[in-house]
Amino acid sequence: MNKLVHEASRTLEITILSAENLRLDGKTVKKNSYVIARVDPHNYGSTKADFEGGSSPSWNEKLTLDVPYQTRFITLEVKCRTSSGDRVIGTASLPISDILGDYTPESYLHFLSYRLRDARGGRNGIINVSARVKMPIESVSPAVTKNPVGYGCSSSWQQPTLGVPAGHQNYYSGVVTGVPIWSSF
């Protein structure tokens, strides 16, 4: 990937988890459904076909897409392979604002469900995904920080990350959230 493309876009990881209540021409889907996640006509990813899930397929497949900063939606298109060719079961739009723009860190993993619509606009099942912005390796902060004040401690003192099991500081990165507990003594 060239540096210009990397600076003008961000990398998005979308895991296509599953779908529910898929129908094709009024009949439940038996097999061979798959999903295409599309940023534009030339930038997309596809899952493998699910051969066993029927109208509730499960893919659990991670797709990585370069998403330009001006992109507002990613189209999720559920298709089915039939003897007469591939047919669209339903589509949904994943707004980028559902992943970015709130008070969560950029790399936060979001679990999302969207209503699928068929070609006529009718309801045709639900698709379940998870998505996050993949942070570049050099921008991920370490899980332990040096003592900025240094009062009474050696310069090698390190503050452990709260809420992270001992020995797992490098595995977990990001923000630890919780509810403060107030007690009156």
Side-chain angles (χ1 to χ4, degrees):
M1 172 190 316
N2 69 38
K3 190 163 178 70
L4 182 60
V5 170
H6 182 67
E7 290 174 358
S9 66
R10 56 185 151 232
T11 303
L12 188 65
E13 284 182 350
I14 300 176
T15 302
I16 309 298
L17 299 170
S18 62
E20 306 164 27
N21 303 320
L22 299 182
R23 300 179 73 74
L24 189 58
D25 297 329
K27 300 174 188 164
T28 59
V29 173
K30 301 291 184 205
K31 60 182 179 176
N32 297 336
S33 58
Y34 64 100
V35 178
I36 297 175
R38 191 180 312 273
V39 176
D40 60 48
H42 306 290
N43 185 1
Y44 60 90
S46 178
T47 66
K48 295 176 182 144
D50 177 277
F51 297 107
E52 299 173 4
S55 66
S56 296
S58 177
W59 299 280
N60 200 26
E61 223 175 298
K62 187 180 292 185
L63 306 175
T64 304
L65 300 169
D66 285 323
V67 180
Y69 283 105
Q70 70 272 15
T71 302
R72 296 191 185 267
F73 295 94
I74 293 175
T75 302
L76 302 172
E77 190 174 58
V78 180
K79 290 186 161 190
C80 182
R81 292 190 177 122
T82 67
S83 59
S84 61
D86 291 4
R87 305 255 325 265
V88 175
I89 295 171
T91 59
S93 293
L94 187 159
I96 296 297
S97 62
D98 283 0
I99 304 165
L100 297 171
D102 56 8
Y103 296 105
T104 58
E106 255 195 13
S107 62
Y108 183 81
L109 182 62
H110 298 268
F111 288 88
L112 307 161
S113 295
Y114 295 98
R115 168 75 61 194
L116 292 167
R117 300 284 177 173
D118 62 18
R120 294 179 299 277
R123 296 177 177 189
N124 198 17
I126 294 172
I127 186 165
N128 304 300
V129 300
S130 68
R132 82 166 89 211
V133 175
K134 188 173 180 182
M135 299 299 291
I137 293 172
E138 63 272 3
S139 72
V140 175
S141 62
V144 256
T145 58
K146 297 281 185 190
N147 180 3
V149 180
Y151 293 119
C153 297
S154 70
S155 62
S156 64
W157 178 86
Q158 294 185 334
Q159 171 69 41
T161 304
L162 299 176
V164 176
H168 292 85
Q169 282 86 3
N170 291 331
Y171 177 75
Y172 297 96
S173 64
V175 176
V176 177
T177 59
V179 177
I181 299 174
W182 303 99
S183 107
S184 58
F185 291 99

